[in-house]
Amino acid sequence: MESKILPIAGDASFRKFYRFISNKSSKIIVLAQKEKYKNLIAYSGINKFLRDHKIHAPKLYTYNFSKGLIVIEDFGDTSFYNEL
């Protein structure tokens, strides 16, 4: 069982993104040390709303808001921009 954590290019926010690969599956780790409410807690609330209304959004696997961490479903390298 080989696991890897690879950095992913992020956006202009204070968040950092990593792809965690293990056993041929992957998840996205999102870290935010600044603006935790906006970057993680609000995201989680919006994500829950979207999923509750059957709108395709990444599944939230786990979180630790005090440490600035969430782990979400990995949709791969396809971006919303590329899909348009």
Side-chain angles (χ1 to χ4, degrees):
M1 177 172 92
E2 185 177 325
S3 299
K4 294 191 266 187
I5 297 177
L6 306 170
I8 301 173
D11 52 16
S13 73
F14 295 109
R15 294 173 292 200
K16 292 183 182 178
F17 299 87
Y18 299 91
R19 179 170 279 133
F20 174 70
I21 303 168
S22 178
N23 294 331
K24 298 183 182 181
S25 69
S26 65
K27 295 177 175 62
I28 300 297
I29 300 169
V30 183
L31 299 173
Q33 295 306 309
K34 296 181 181 181
E35 301 180 4
K36 291 177 189 176
Y37 177 80
K38 182 174 87 172
N39 284 308
L40 300 178
I41 298 170
Y43 169 85
S44 298
I46 292 167
N47 180 278
K48 179 176 176 11
F49 174 84
L50 294 172
R51 292 185 58 83
D52 287 350
H53 289 85
K54 308 295 185 227
I55 298 169
H56 194 58
K59 185 183 300 184
L60 178 63
Y61 291 115
T62 191
Y63 59 88
N64 186 323
F65 296 131
S66 64
K67 292 186 178 181
L69 167 83
I70 61 174
V71 179
I72 59 175
E73 182 177 11
D74 185 0
F75 283 165
D77 292 326
T78 303
S79 71
F80 181 71
Y81 178 77
N82 289 338
E83 289 298 310
L84 291 177

mmCIF file of all heavy atoms in Angstrom, residues 24-57:
data_model
loop_
_atom_site.group_PDB
_atom_site.id
_atom_site.type_symbol
_atom_site.label_atom_id
_atom_site.label_comp_id
_atom_site.label_asym_id
_atom_site.label_seq_id
_atom_site.Cartn_x
_atom_site.Cartn_y
_atom_site.Cartn_z
ATOM 1 N N LYS A 24 -5.246 3.418 -5.141
ATOM 2 C CA LYS A 24 -5.902 3.770 -6.404
ATOM 3 C C LYS A 24 -7.101 4.688 -6.239
ATOM 4 O O LYS A 24 -7.905 4.856 -7.142
ATOM 5 C CB LYS A 24 -6.311 2.526 -7.186
ATOM 6 C CG LYS A 24 -5.139 1.660 -7.590
ATOM 7 C CD LYS A 24 -5.596 0.495 -8.410
ATOM 8 C CE LYS A 24 -4.414 -0.385 -8.775
ATOM 9 N NZ LYS A 24 -4.801 -1.520 -9.584
ATOM 10 N N SER A 25 -7.271 5.299 -5.079
ATOM 11 C CA SER A 25 -8.311 6.307 -4.899
ATOM 12 C C SER A 25 -7.637 7.575 -4.407
ATOM 13 O O SER A 25 -6.500 7.550 -3.936
ATOM 14 C CB SER A 25 -9.374 5.845 -3.902
ATOM 15 O OG SER A 25 -8.841 5.802 -2.607
ATOM 16 N N SER A 26 -8.325 8.677 -4.540
ATOM 17 C CA SER A 26 -7.723 9.922 -4.074
ATOM 18 C C SER A 26 -8.777 10.826 -3.446
ATOM 19 O O SER A 26 -9.964 10.733 -3.752
ATOM 20 C CB SER A 26 -6.996 10.632 -5.216
ATOM 21 O OG SER A 26 -7.887 11.039 -6.203
ATOM 22 N N LYS A 27 -8.300 11.666 -2.578
ATOM 23 C CA LYS A 27 -9.124 12.669 -1.905
ATOM 24 C C LYS A 27 -8.357 13.980 -1.931
ATOM 25 O O LYS A 27 -7.139 13.990 -2.107
ATOM 26 C CB LYS A 27 -9.400 12.251 -0.460
ATOM 27 C CG LYS A 27 -10.238 10.992 -0.337
ATOM 28 C CD LYS A 27 -10.404 10.602 1.119
ATOM 29 C CE LYS A 27 -11.327 9.431 1.302
ATOM 30 N NZ LYS A 27 -10.927 8.201 0.706
ATOM 31 N N ILE A 28 -9.071 15.073 -1.735
ATOM 32 C CA ILE A 28 -8.445 16.382 -1.698
ATOM 33 C C ILE A 28 -8.404 16.868 -0.251
ATOM 34 O O ILE A 28 -9.418 16.854 0.441
ATOM 35 C CB ILE A 28 -9.214 17.401 -2.573
ATOM 36 C CG1 ILE A 28 -9.255 16.934 -4.027
ATOM 37 C CG2 ILE A 28 -8.609 18.799 -2.452
ATOM 38 C CD1 ILE A 28 -7.918 16.817 -4.711
ATOM 39 N N ILE A 29 -7.233 17.293 0.177
ATOM 40 C CA ILE A 29 -7.052 17.892 1.495
ATOM 41 C C ILE A 29 -6.990 19.401 1.293
ATOM 42 O O ILE A 29 -6.218 19.889 0.467
ATOM 43 C CB ILE A 29 -5.753 17.404 2.152
ATOM 44 C CG1 ILE A 29 -5.777 15.882 2.315
ATOM 45 C CG2 ILE A 29 -5.529 18.112 3.486
ATOM 46 C CD1 ILE A 29 -4.430 15.291 2.710
ATOM 47 N N VAL A 30 -7.820 20.123 2.027
ATOM 48 C CA VAL A 30 -7.830 21.580 1.954
ATOM 49 C C VAL A 30 -7.407 22.104 3.317
ATOM 50 O O VAL A 30 -8.006 21.759 4.338
ATOM 51 C CB VAL A 30 -9.230 22.125 1.596
ATOM 52 C CG1 VAL A 30 -9.188 23.640 1.449
ATOM 53 C CG2 VAL A 30 -9.762 21.477 0.322
ATOM 54 N N LEU A 31 -6.368 22.944 3.320
ATOM 55 C CA LEU A 31 -5.865 23.540 4.552
ATOM 56 C C LEU A 31 -6.051 25.050 4.488
ATOM 57 O O LEU A 31 -5.775 25.666 3.455
ATOM 58 C CB LEU A 31 -4.381 23.236 4.742
ATOM 59 C CG LEU A 31 -3.981 21.771 4.849
ATOM 60 C CD1 LEU A 31 -2.470 21.638 4.865
ATOM 61 C CD2 LEU A 31 -4.580 21.161 6.099
ATOM 62 N N ALA A 32 -6.494 25.635 5.583
ATOM 63 C CA ALA A 32 -6.637 27.087 5.666
ATOM 64 C C ALA A 32 -6.277 27.520 7.079
ATOM 65 O O ALA A 32 -6.953 27.147 8.032
ATOM 66 C CB ALA A 32 -8.058 27.512 5.325
ATOM 67 N N GLN A 33 -5.221 28.280 7.207
ATOM 68 C CA GLN A 33 -4.824 28.777 8.520
ATOM 69 C C GLN A 33 -5.392 30.165 8.789
ATOM 70 O O GLN A 33 -5.537 30.563 9.930
ATOM 71 C CB GLN A 33 -3.303 28.797 8.643
ATOM 72 C CG GLN A 33 -2.699 27.405 8.598
ATOM 73 C CD GLN A 33 -3.315 26.459 9.621
ATOM 74 O OE1 GLN A 33 -3.405 26.782 10.798
ATOM 75 N NE2 GLN A 33 -3.756 25.297 9.173
ATOM 76 N N LYS A 34 -5.727 30.906 7.728
ATOM 77 C CA LYS A 34 -6.345 32.231 7.857
ATOM 78 C C LYS A 34 -7.782 32.136 7.359
ATOM 79 O O LYS A 34 -8.102 31.316 6.521
ATOM 80 C CB LYS A 34 -5.596 33.264 7.021
ATOM 81 C CG LYS A 34 -4.173 33.497 7.460
ATOM 82 C CD LYS A 34 -3.535 34.555 6.597
ATOM 83 C CE LYS A 34 -2.103 34.798 7.009
ATOM 84 N NZ LYS A 34 -1.481 35.839 6.183
ATOM 85 N N GLU A 35 -8.617 32.995 7.881
ATOM 86 C CA GLU A 35 -10.011 33.084 7.436
ATOM 87 C C GLU A 35 -10.676 31.712 7.398
ATOM 88 O O GLU A 35 -11.310 31.334 6.421
ATOM 89 C CB GLU A 35 -10.096 33.777 6.087
ATOM 90 C CG GLU A 35 -9.541 35.180 6.082
ATOM 91 C CD GLU A 35 -9.634 35.856 4.726
ATOM 92 O OE1 GLU A 35 -10.203 35.277 3.781
ATOM 93 O OE2 GLU A 35 -9.138 36.985 4.613
ATOM 94 N N LYS A 36 -10.542 30.945 8.470
ATOM 95 C CA LYS A 36 -11.083 29.589 8.521
ATOM 96 C C LYS A 36 -12.584 29.560 8.307
ATOM 97 O O LYS A 36 -13.107 28.667 7.645
ATOM 98 C CB LYS A 36 -10.736 28.917 9.847
ATOM 99 C CG LYS A 36 -9.278 28.605 9.998
ATOM 100 C CD LYS A 36 -8.990 28.009 11.358
ATOM 101 C CE LYS A 36 -7.503 27.905 11.590
ATOM 102 N NZ LYS A 36 -7.181 27.424 12.912
ATOM 103 N N TYR A 37 -13.292 30.566 8.854
ATOM 104 C CA TYR A 37 -14.749 30.570 8.684
ATOM 105 C C TYR A 37 -15.116 30.640 7.203
ATOM 106 O O TYR A 37 -15.858 29.810 6.694
ATOM 107 C CB TYR A 37 -15.407 31.733 9.438
ATOM 108 C CG TYR A 37 -16.889 31.753 9.177
ATOM 109 C CD1 TYR A 37 -17.735 30.890 9.876
ATOM 110 C CD2 TYR A 37 -17.440 32.551 8.192
ATOM 111 C CE1 TYR A 37 -19.087 30.847 9.604
ATOM 112 C CE2 TYR A 37 -18.789 32.516 7.914
ATOM 113 C CZ TYR A 37 -19.615 31.673 8.620
ATOM 114 O OH TYR A 37 -20.947 31.620 8.342
ATOM 115 N N LYS A 38 -14.567 31.631 6.522
ATOM 116 C CA LYS A 38 -14.909 31.824 5.110
ATOM 117 C C LYS A 38 -14.419 30.665 4.248
ATOM 118 O O LYS A 38 -15.113 30.214 3.344
ATOM 119 C CB LYS A 38 -14.305 33.139 4.611
ATOM 120 C CG LYS A 38 -14.645 33.461 3.155
ATOM 121 C CD LYS A 38 -14.148 34.822 2.763
ATOM 122 C CE LYS A 38 -12.734 34.746 2.296
ATOM 123 N NZ LYS A 38 -12.215 35.982 1.720
ATOM 124 N N ASN A 39 -13.226 30.182 4.540
ATOM 125 C CA ASN A 39 -12.609 29.191 3.673
ATOM 126 C C ASN A 39 -13.041 27.756 3.947
ATOM 127 O O ASN A 39 -12.963 26.918 3.047
ATOM 128 C CB ASN A 39 -11.086 29.285 3.773
ATOM 129 C CG ASN A 39 -10.561 30.477 3.025
ATOM 130 O OD1 ASN A 39 -10.876 30.675 1.866
ATOM 131 N ND2 ASN A 39 -9.769 31.285 3.683
ATOM 132 N N LEU A 40 -13.498 27.448 5.149
ATOM 133 C CA LEU A 40 -13.838 26.061 5.456
ATOM 134 C C LEU A 40 -15.259 25.890 5.976
ATOM 135 O O LEU A 40 -16.010 25.068 5.460
ATOM 136 C CB LEU A 40 -12.843 25.490 6.482
ATOM 137 C CG LEU A 40 -11.384 25.480 6.055
ATOM 138 C CD1 LEU A 40 -10.518 24.945 7.183
ATOM 139 C CD2 LEU A 40 -11.173 24.686 4.791
ATOM 140 N N ILE A 41 -15.639 26.651 6.968
ATOM 141 C CA ILE A 41 -16.959 26.471 7.583
ATOM 142 C C ILE A 41 -18.065 26.882 6.610
ATOM 143 O O ILE A 41 -19.025 26.135 6.409
ATOM 144 C CB ILE A 41 -17.043 27.226 8.916
ATOM 145 C CG1 ILE A 41 -16.006 26.652 9.889
ATOM 146 C CG2 ILE A 41 -18.449 27.135 9.505
ATOM 147 C CD1 ILE A 41 -15.816 27.461 11.157
ATOM 148 N N ALA A 42 -17.927 28.042 5.990
ATOM 149 C CA ALA A 42 -18.933 28.477 5.008
ATOM 150 C C ALA A 42 -18.963 27.510 3.823
ATOM 151 O O ALA A 42 -20.034 27.152 3.332
ATOM 152 C CB ALA A 42 -18.652 29.898 4.548
ATOM 153 N N TYR A 43 -17.788 27.080 3.366
ATOM 154 C CA TYR A 43 -17.722 26.104 2.271
ATOM 155 C C TYR A 43 -18.511 24.852 2.639
ATOM 156 O O TYR A 43 -19.287 24.338 1.832
ATOM 157 C CB TYR A 43 -16.266 25.726 1.957
ATOM 158 C CG TYR A 43 -16.187 24.539 1.032
ATOM 159 C CD1 TYR A 43 -16.258 24.708 -0.335
ATOM 160 C CD2 TYR A 43 -16.116 23.241 1.535
ATOM 161 C CE1 TYR A 43 -16.235 23.610 -1.190
ATOM 162 C CE2 TYR A 43 -16.098 22.152 0.700
ATOM 163 C CZ TYR A 43 -16.151 22.339 -0.664
ATOM 164 O OH TYR A 43 -16.147 21.252 -1.489
ATOM 165 N N SER A 44 -18.307 24.351 3.849
ATOM 166 C CA SER A 44 -18.984 23.129 4.281
ATOM 167 C C SER A 44 -20.495 23.301 4.314
ATOM 168 O O SER A 44 -21.242 22.402 3.927
ATOM 169 C CB SER A 44 -18.481 22.711 5.665
ATOM 170 O OG SER A 44 -17.116 22.438 5.601
ATOM 171 N N GLY A 45 -20.962 24.468 4.763
ATOM 172 C CA GLY A 45 -22.395 24.742 4.787
ATOM 173 C C GLY A 45 -22.987 24.806 3.391
ATOM 174 O O GLY A 45 -24.058 24.247 3.123
ATOM 175 N N ILE A 46 -22.305 25.489 2.487
ATOM 176 C CA ILE A 46 -22.774 25.583 1.098
ATOM 177 C C ILE A 46 -22.748 24.210 0.448
ATOM 178 O O ILE A 46 -23.676 23.821 -0.262
ATOM 179 C CB ILE A 46 -21.921 26.597 0.314
ATOM 180 C CG1 ILE A 46 -22.175 28.006 0.850
ATOM 181 C CG2 ILE A 46 -22.211 26.516 -1.185
ATOM 182 C CD1 ILE A 46 -21.170 29.040 0.377
ATOM 183 N N ASN A 47 -21.701 23.459 0.710
ATOM 184 C CA ASN A 47 -21.572 22.110 0.166
ATOM 185 C C ASN A 47 -22.737 21.233 0.618
ATOM 186 O O ASN A 47 -23.326 20.509 -0.179
ATOM 187 C CB ASN A 47 -20.230 21.519 0.604
ATOM 188 C CG ASN A 47 -20.009 20.135 0.082
ATOM 189 O OD1 ASN A 47 -20.503 19.176 0.655
ATOM 190 N ND2 ASN A 47 -19.259 20.028 -0.998
ATOM 191 N N LYS A 48 -23.074 21.300 1.893
ATOM 192 C CA LYS A 48 -24.195 20.510 2.425
ATOM 193 C C LYS A 48 -25.507 20.913 1.757
ATOM 194 O O LYS A 48 -26.306 20.059 1.365
ATOM 195 C CB LYS A 48 -24.303 20.671 3.933
ATOM 196 C CG LYS A 48 -25.454 19.887 4.533
ATOM 197 C CD LYS A 48 -25.484 19.978 6.032
ATOM 198 C CE LYS A 48 -26.658 19.305 6.701
ATOM 199 N NZ LYS A 48 -27.511 18.457 5.952
ATOM 200 N N PHE A 49 -25.737 22.213 1.594
ATOM 201 C CA PHE A 49 -26.950 22.699 0.923
ATOM 202 C C PHE A 49 -27.030 22.139 -0.498
ATOM 203 O O PHE A 49 -28.078 21.640 -0.923
ATOM 204 C CB PHE A 49 -26.960 24.228 0.890
ATOM 205 C CG PHE A 49 -28.104 24.794 0.100
ATOM 206 C CD1 PHE A 49 -29.344 24.968 0.691
ATOM 207 C CD2 PHE A 49 -27.939 25.147 -1.229
ATOM 208 C CE1 PHE A 49 -30.406 25.478 -0.041
ATOM 209 C CE2 PHE A 49 -28.986 25.655 -1.964
ATOM 210 C CZ PHE A 49 -30.238 25.821 -1.366
ATOM 211 N N LEU A 50 -25.946 22.231 -1.247
ATOM 212 C CA LEU A 50 -25.939 21.741 -2.628
ATOM 213 C C LEU A 50 -26.230 20.249 -2.685
ATOM 214 O O LEU A 50 -27.064 19.792 -3.468
ATOM 215 C CB LEU A 50 -24.595 22.042 -3.296
ATOM 216 C CG LEU A 50 -24.265 23.512 -3.525
ATOM 217 C CD1 LEU A 50 -22.833 23.661 -4.016
ATOM 218 C CD2 LEU A 50 -25.247 24.149 -4.490
ATOM 219 N N ARG A 51 -25.557 19.476 -1.858
ATOM 220 C CA ARG A 51 -25.761 18.023 -1.863
ATOM 221 C C ARG A 51 -27.159 17.645 -1.406
ATOM 222 O O ARG A 51 -27.762 16.722 -1.942
ATOM 223 C CB ARG A 51 -24.693 17.332 -1.022
ATOM 224 C CG ARG A 51 -23.298 17.444 -1.683
ATOM 225 C CD ARG A 51 -22.235 16.687 -0.949
ATOM 226 N NE ARG A 51 -22.529 15.276 -0.816
ATOM 227 C CZ ARG A 51 -22.296 14.339 -1.743
ATOM 228 N NH1 ARG A 51 -21.781 14.682 -2.893
ATOM 229 N NH2 ARG A 51 -22.578 13.075 -1.494
ATOM 230 N N ASP A 52 -27.702 18.362 -0.408
ATOM 231 C CA ASP A 52 -29.070 18.102 0.055
ATOM 232 C C ASP A 52 -30.103 18.366 -1.034
ATOM 233 O O ASP A 52 -31.174 17.779 -1.040
ATOM 234 C CB ASP A 52 -29.409 18.960 1.276
ATOM 235 C CG ASP A 52 -28.711 18.490 2.539
ATOM 236 O OD1 ASP A 52 -28.116 17.386 2.538
ATOM 237 O OD2 ASP A 52 -28.747 19.245 3.538
ATOM 238 N N HIS A 53 -29.767 19.265 -1.968
ATOM 239 C CA HIS A 53 -30.670 19.600 -3.074
ATOM 240 C C HIS A 53 -30.275 18.896 -4.372
ATOM 241 O O HIS A 53 -30.627 19.334 -5.462
ATOM 242 C CB HIS A 53 -30.724 21.117 -3.251
ATOM 243 C CG HIS A 53 -31.467 21.784 -2.142
ATOM 244 N ND1 HIS A 53 -30.870 22.124 -0.946
ATOM 245 C CD2 HIS A 53 -32.762 22.126 -2.019
ATOM 246 C CE1 HIS A 53 -31.761 22.667 -0.145
ATOM 247 N NE2 HIS A 53 -32.923 22.677 -0.775
ATOM 248 N N LYS A 54 -29.525 17.800 -4.225
ATOM 249 C CA LYS A 54 -29.154 16.920 -5.346
ATOM 250 C C LYS A 54 -28.335 17.632 -6.422
ATOM 251 O O LYS A 54 -28.398 17.301 -7.597
ATOM 252 C CB LYS A 54 -30.387 16.274 -5.981
ATOM 253 C CG LYS A 54 -31.306 15.580 -4.991
ATOM 254 C CD LYS A 54 -30.642 14.397 -4.344
ATOM 255 C CE LYS A 54 -31.635 13.662 -3.451
ATOM 256 N NZ LYS A 54 -31.130 13.335 -2.165
ATOM 257 N N ILE A 55 -27.565 18.638 -6.005
ATOM 258 C CA ILE A 55 -26.659 19.332 -6.917
ATOM 259 C C ILE A 55 -25.276 18.723 -6.717
ATOM 260 O O ILE A 55 -24.788 18.617 -5.591
ATOM 261 C CB ILE A 55 -26.650 20.850 -6.656
ATOM 262 C CG1 ILE A 55 -28.053 21.409 -6.900
ATOM 263 C CG2 ILE A 55 -25.618 21.543 -7.529
ATOM 264 C CD1 ILE A 55 -28.240 22.831 -6.434
ATOM 265 N N HIS A 56 -24.655 18.299 -7.803
ATOM 266 C CA HIS A 56 -23.378 17.586 -7.750
ATOM 267 C C HIS A 56 -22.300 18.483 -7.139
ATOM 268 O O HIS A 56 -21.941 19.518 -7.698
ATOM 269 C CB HIS A 56 -22.986 17.158 -9.158
ATOM 270 C CG HIS A 56 -21.891 16.158 -9.198
ATOM 271 N ND1 HIS A 56 -21.952 14.936 -8.569
ATOM 272 C CD2 HIS A 56 -20.685 16.192 -9.796
ATOM 273 C CE1 HIS A 56 -20.849 14.267 -8.782
ATOM 274 N NE2 HIS A 56 -20.053 15.013 -9.529
ATOM 275 N N ALA A 57 -21.811 18.092 -5.983
ATOM 276 C CA ALA A 57 -20.743 18.804 -5.272
ATOM 277 C C ALA A 57 -19.882 17.754 -4.580
ATOM 278 O O ALA A 57 -20.360 16.665 -4.275
ATOM 279 C CB ALA A 57 -21.342 19.765 -4.256
#
